[in-house]
Amino acid sequence: MNFSSFFIYCFIVAFSPGPSNIVILASVQQSGIKRTLRYIAGASIAFFLLIALSVVLGETLSSGMPFILPVLRVVGCLFMLYLAYQVYHMDVSNASTNQTASFTSGFLMQFLNPKVVLFTLTVIPSYVMPYYTEGPVISAFVVAVSLIGLAAYMTWAVCGNLFQGVLQKYRRTTNTVLALFLLYSAIVVSDLPNLLRG
Protein backbone atom coordinates (compact mmCIF):
# COMPACT_ATOMS: atom_id res chain seq x y z
CA MET A 1 0.00 0.00 0.00
CA ASN A 2 1.24 3.47 -0.91
CA PHE A 3 0.77 5.36 2.39
CA SER A 4 1.95 8.72 1.09
CA SER A 5 -0.50 8.62 -1.83
CA PHE A 6 -3.31 7.58 0.53
CA PHE A 7 -2.72 10.38 3.03
CA ILE A 8 -2.11 13.05 0.37
CA TYR A 9 -5.41 12.09 -1.25
CA CYS A 10 -7.22 12.24 2.09
CA PHE A 11 -5.77 15.63 3.03
CA ILE A 12 -6.45 17.21 -0.36
CA VAL A 13 -10.08 16.10 -0.40
CA ALA A 14 -10.69 17.02 3.24
CA PHE A 15 -8.97 20.43 3.34
CA SER A 16 -9.83 21.76 -0.13
CA PRO A 17 -12.73 24.23 -0.38
CA GLY A 18 -16.05 22.46 -0.65
CA PRO A 19 -19.64 23.03 0.42
CA SER A 20 -19.17 21.89 4.02
CA ASN A 21 -15.98 23.90 4.51
CA ILE A 22 -17.58 27.02 2.98
CA VAL A 23 -20.65 26.72 5.21
CA ILE A 24 -18.38 26.31 8.25
CA LEU A 25 -16.50 29.49 7.35
CA ALA A 26 -19.73 31.44 6.77
CA SER A 27 -21.31 30.10 9.94
CA VAL A 28 -18.33 31.03 12.12
CA GLN A 29 -18.37 34.63 10.90
CA GLN A 30 -22.11 34.88 11.56
CA SER A 31 -22.74 32.71 14.63
CA GLY A 32 -19.34 32.13 16.19
CA ILE A 33 -17.38 28.95 16.63
CA LYS A 34 -19.54 27.45 19.41
CA ARG A 35 -22.72 27.31 17.31
CA THR A 36 -20.78 26.09 14.29
CA LEU A 37 -19.60 23.08 16.29
CA ARG A 38 -23.12 21.61 15.84
CA TYR A 39 -22.67 21.66 12.07
CA ILE A 40 -19.18 20.19 12.41
CA ALA A 41 -20.52 17.42 14.66
CA GLY A 42 -23.20 16.49 12.12
CA ALA A 43 -20.75 16.60 9.20
CA SER A 44 -18.14 14.55 11.09
CA ILE A 45 -20.57 11.83 12.16
CA ALA A 46 -21.94 11.51 8.62
CA PHE A 47 -18.38 11.41 7.25
CA PHE A 48 -17.53 8.57 9.65
CA LEU A 49 -20.74 6.68 8.81
CA LEU A 50 -20.06 6.93 5.08
CA ILE A 51 -16.54 5.58 5.50
CA ALA A 52 -17.78 2.73 7.72
CA LEU A 53 -20.51 1.99 5.16
CA SER A 54 -17.89 1.67 2.44
CA VAL A 55 -16.14 -1.05 4.45
CA VAL A 56 -19.37 -2.95 5.09
CA LEU A 57 -20.66 -2.78 1.53
CA GLY A 58 -17.30 -2.89 -0.27
CA GLU A 59 -17.60 -4.12 -3.84
CA THR A 60 -21.41 -4.04 -3.93
CA LEU A 61 -21.36 -0.29 -3.43
CA SER A 62 -18.78 0.30 -6.15
CA SER A 63 -20.86 -1.56 -8.73
CA GLY A 64 -24.01 0.35 -7.72
CA MET A 65 -22.42 3.81 -8.03
CA PRO A 66 -23.30 4.34 -11.71
CA PHE A 67 -27.00 4.09 -10.80
CA ILE A 68 -26.83 6.12 -7.58
CA LEU A 69 -24.61 8.96 -8.81
CA PRO A 70 -27.08 10.74 -11.18
CA VAL A 71 -29.74 10.94 -8.45
CA LEU A 72 -27.13 12.03 -5.93
CA ARG A 73 -25.95 14.76 -8.31
CA VAL A 74 -29.43 16.27 -8.68
CA VAL A 75 -30.30 16.10 -4.97
CA GLY A 76 -26.84 17.38 -3.99
CA CYS A 77 -27.08 20.26 -6.47
CA LEU A 78 -30.49 21.33 -5.11
CA PHE A 79 -29.27 21.15 -1.51
CA MET A 80 -26.19 23.25 -2.32
CA LEU A 81 -28.37 25.86 -4.04
CA TYR A 82 -30.48 25.98 -0.88
CA LEU A 83 -27.33 26.44 1.22
CA ALA A 84 -26.06 29.17 -1.13
CA TYR A 85 -29.32 31.04 -0.57
CA GLN A 86 -29.04 30.57 3.20
CA VAL A 87 -25.42 31.79 3.28
CA TYR A 88 -26.22 34.81 1.12
CA HIS A 89 -29.00 35.87 3.53
CA MET A 90 -27.16 35.00 6.77
CA ASP A 91 -26.90 38.55 8.05
CA VAL A 92 -30.59 39.21 7.43
CA SER A 93 -32.20 36.45 9.45
CA ASN A 94 -31.01 34.53 12.52
CA ALA A 95 -33.40 31.73 11.60
CA SER A 96 -31.49 31.08 8.38
CA THR A 97 -28.21 31.08 10.30
CA ASN A 98 -29.49 28.48 12.73
CA GLN A 99 -30.75 26.29 9.88
CA THR A 100 -27.49 26.54 7.96
CA ALA A 101 -25.29 25.82 10.98
CA SER A 102 -27.43 23.04 12.42
CA PHE A 103 -26.39 19.46 13.18
CA THR A 104 -28.95 18.21 10.63
CA SER A 105 -27.62 20.48 7.90
CA GLY A 106 -24.06 19.27 8.50
CA PHE A 107 -25.19 15.66 8.55
CA LEU A 108 -27.26 15.94 5.35
CA MET A 109 -24.58 17.86 3.48
CA GLN A 110 -22.25 14.87 3.64
CA PHE A 111 -24.83 12.44 2.26
CA LEU A 112 -25.84 14.84 -0.53
CA ASN A 113 -22.39 15.90 -1.68
CA PRO A 114 -21.16 13.57 -4.46
CA LYS A 115 -17.52 14.59 -3.86
CA VAL A 116 -17.69 13.48 -0.23
CA VAL A 117 -19.78 10.39 -0.99
CA LEU A 118 -17.45 9.19 -3.75
CA PHE A 119 -14.39 9.86 -1.60
CA THR A 120 -15.67 8.17 1.55
CA LEU A 121 -17.18 5.19 -0.23
CA THR A 122 -14.08 4.46 -2.31
CA VAL A 123 -11.04 5.49 -0.26
CA ILE A 124 -10.93 2.46 2.06
CA PRO A 125 -11.99 -0.14 -0.55
CA SER A 126 -9.50 1.23 -3.10
CA TYR A 127 -6.48 2.02 -0.94
CA VAL A 128 -6.73 -0.23 2.12
CA MET A 129 -8.85 -3.33 1.54
CA PRO A 130 -6.71 -4.76 -1.29
CA TYR A 131 -3.79 -4.91 1.17
CA TYR A 132 -5.38 -5.45 4.59
CA THR A 133 -8.27 -7.68 5.61
CA GLU A 134 -7.98 -7.67 9.40
CA GLY A 135 -10.85 -5.87 11.13
CA PRO A 136 -8.72 -3.88 13.62
CA VAL A 137 -6.42 -2.57 10.86
CA ILE A 138 -9.32 -1.50 8.63
CA SER A 139 -11.03 0.08 11.67
CA ALA A 140 -7.84 2.05 12.38
CA PHE A 141 -7.89 3.42 8.82
CA VAL A 142 -11.59 4.35 9.14
CA VAL A 143 -10.80 6.28 12.32
CA ALA A 144 -7.73 7.91 10.74
CA VAL A 145 -9.68 9.16 7.70
CA SER A 146 -12.51 10.37 9.95
CA LEU A 147 -10.02 12.31 12.10
CA ILE A 148 -8.52 13.92 8.98
CA GLY A 149 -12.03 15.08 8.03
CA LEU A 150 -12.65 16.44 11.54
CA ALA A 151 -9.27 18.21 11.50
CA ALA A 152 -10.19 19.87 8.20
CA TYR A 153 -13.53 21.12 9.54
CA MET A 154 -11.93 22.43 12.71
CA THR A 155 -9.19 24.16 10.69
CA TRP A 156 -11.80 25.98 8.60
CA ALA A 157 -13.68 26.94 11.79
CA VAL A 158 -10.53 28.23 13.52
CA CYS A 159 -9.48 30.21 10.43
CA GLY A 160 -12.97 31.68 10.24
CA ASN A 161 -12.72 32.62 13.89
CA LEU A 162 -9.25 34.18 13.46
CA PHE A 163 -10.43 36.29 10.52
CA GLN A 164 -13.85 37.01 12.00
CA GLY A 165 -13.15 40.75 12.29
CA VAL A 166 -12.40 41.06 8.59
CA LEU A 167 -15.28 38.78 7.65
CA GLN A 168 -17.70 40.80 9.82
CA LYS A 169 -16.47 44.11 8.42
CA TYR A 170 -17.16 42.94 4.88
CA ARG A 171 -20.10 40.70 5.75
CA ARG A 172 -22.20 41.30 2.63
CA THR A 173 -19.20 40.81 0.34
CA THR A 174 -18.06 37.72 2.26
CA ASN A 175 -21.53 36.15 2.20
CA THR A 176 -21.86 36.89 -1.51
CA VAL A 177 -18.48 35.33 -2.33
CA LEU A 178 -19.19 32.25 -0.19
CA ALA A 179 -22.65 31.87 -1.75
CA LEU A 180 -21.06 32.10 -5.22
CA PHE A 181 -18.58 29.35 -4.25
CA LEU A 182 -21.53 27.17 -3.21
CA LEU A 183 -23.31 28.00 -6.46
CA TYR A 184 -20.18 26.99 -8.37
CA SER A 185 -20.01 23.73 -6.36
CA ALA A 186 -23.66 23.04 -7.21
CA ILE A 187 -22.98 23.55 -10.93
CA VAL A 188 -19.94 21.24 -10.82
CA VAL A 189 -21.84 18.59 -8.83
CA SER A 190 -24.74 18.68 -11.29
CA ASP A 191 -22.31 17.82 -14.11
CA LEU A 192 -23.94 20.63 -16.13
CA PRO A 193 -20.63 21.76 -17.77
CA ASN A 194 -20.11 18.28 -19.27
CA LEU A 195 -23.74 18.03 -20.38
CA LEU A 196 -23.52 21.41 -22.15
CA ARG A 197 -20.30 20.39 -23.90
CA GLY A 198 -22.10 17.52 -25.52
Side-chain angles (χ1 to χ4, degrees):
M1 177 180 164
N2 188 335
F3 283 95
S4 59
S5 173
F6 171 76
F7 283 110
I8 287 169
Y9 177 53
C10 291
F11 275 92
I12 288 173
V13 171
F15 283 85
S16 62
S20 292
N21 294 338
I22 292 167
V23 171
I24 287 169
L25 186 64
S27 176
V28 167
Q29 67 109 12
Q30 177 63 29
S31 308
I33 200 162
K34 282 188 179 178
R35 284 190 178 178
T36 304
L37 289 176
R38 292 179 300 188
Y39 182 92
I40 292 171
S44 298
I45 289 171
F47 193 74
F48 171 79
L49 290 175
L50 283 166
I51 296 168
L53 186 66
S54 75
V55 172
V56 173
L57 297 179
E59 288 298 314
T60 307
L61 206 56
S62 297
S63 62
M65 271 297 167
F67 303 106
I68 297 168
L69 195 56
V71 174
L72 190 62
R73 285 186 189 280
V74 172
V75 175
C77 175
L78 293 173
F79 189 68
M80 285 180 212
L81 290 174
Y82 165 76
L83 283 176
Y85 175 81
Q86 293 293 319
V87 167
Y88 181 75
H89 290 287
M90 267 187 160
D91 61 337
V92 177
S93 158
N94 281 332
S96 66
T97 301
N98 291 337
Q99 285 180 326
T100 305
S102 70
F103 177 91
T104 304
S105 180
F107 190 83
L108 287 175
M109 172 55 85
Q110 301 301 66
F111 284 95
L112 298 176
N113 184 347
K115 174 189 165 190
V116 169
V117 170
L118 285 174
F119 168 73
T120 56
L121 297 184
T122 59
V123 67
I124 300 294
S126 299
Y127 277 93
V128 178
M129 292 172 84
Y131 303 97
Y132 301 99
T133 55
E134 302 85 10
V137 175
I138 293 174
S139 298
F141 277 104
V142 169
V143 170
V145 174
S146 299
L147 289 175
I148 291 169
L150 177 61
Y153 301 142
M154 291 305 296
T155 300
W156 278 80
V158 168
C159 287
N161 196 43
L162 290 174
F163 299 108
Q164 191 167 11
V166 175
L167 297 173
Q168 290 283 352
K169 185 176 179 182
Y170 302 103
R171 181 182 302 197
R172 175 50 62 197
T173 304
T174 302
N175 288 357
T176 302
V177 169
L178 293 175
L180 287 172
F181 276 133
L182 283 170
L183 179 62
Y184 172 75
S185 295
I187 291 168
V188 170
V189 160
S190 71
D191 205 28
L192 192 60
N194 287 332
L195 292 173
L196 292 176
R197 268 186 244 140

